[in-house]
Amino acid sequence: MPETPFYAKAMRGASSLVGHWLLLGQATPERLAMILADTARVAKLGEPEETPNGATLEAWGSGTQPPLWAARAASFLLMQMPARPAPRDEMEACAWAYCWLRNRDFDSFEDAEAALPDHLREALVEALPAAWADRLSQRLI
């Protein structure tokens, strides 16, 4: 059985996920960076050593690999937006699904799928099962 490229896709999509936060967030990059770092700390999605500046956040959102806490916080914030944003491509969908499973504890795939916001079910229909399989394979290591 060939190895799935899911994890690589999720990591490549992390920059798009942060970029999506930059696109939809209604503040300056500096303020959005502060919100992202504070969200990561408060929601226990990671421990940023320091709050990034706006230029760093913009770099993360345009191709530079962001730290995992930034992607997790961006997905957390995007999933709560009233605009109900969804991933814009396959790589970003993989990042959303990966972060969904990292941000919460689920006992089963069915629980993870059922807890998804309704507007993301179709958008993550392929990425979520791949994320779950990736999560299970990491438990075996």
Side-chain angles (χ1 to χ4, degrees):
M1 184 170 149
E3 192 170 323
T4 178
F6 173 80
Y7 181 77
K9 287 179 183 178
M11 292 304 100
R12 284 195 302 267
S15 179
S16 288
L17 181 57
V18 172
H20 207 150
W21 166 243
L22 270 165
L23 178 68
L24 297 179
Q26 296 181 347
T28 65
E30 289 76 18
R31 177 90 173 120
L32 293 174
M34 184 184 71
I35 292 168
L36 202 64
D38 287 348
T39 297
R41 291 180 188 108
V42 171
K44 300 192 184 325
L45 303 174
E47 284 296 326
E49 291 179 22
E50 59 185 40
T51 300
N53 60 35
T56 298
L57 186 62
E58 287 178 318
W60 291 345
S62 60
T64 299
Q65 184 68 41
L68 185 54
W69 68 260
R72 290 179 67 188
S75 71
F76 179 86
L77 291 164
L78 286 167
M79 287 183 180
Q80 296 182 48
M81 287 185 142
R84 300 170 35 135
R88 298 168 291 180
D89 60 33
E90 179 189 9
M91 302 275 190
E92 189 177 332
C94 289
W96 282 61
Y98 181 82
C99 291
W100 176 248
L101 296 181
R102 293 291 306 259
N103 286 355
R104 299 178 62 181
D105 276 330
F106 298 104
D107 292 329
S108 69
F109 171 76
E110 292 76 20
D111 291 345
E113 186 178 45
L116 267 177
D118 289 338
H119 73 281
L120 292 174
R121 291 183 195 280
E122 186 175 331
L124 299 181
V125 72
E126 292 180 18
L128 193 61
W132 187 262
D134 181 75
R135 179 178 179 230
L136 290 179
S137 70
Q138 290 177 11
R139 290 184 185 166
L140 301 176
I141 295 175

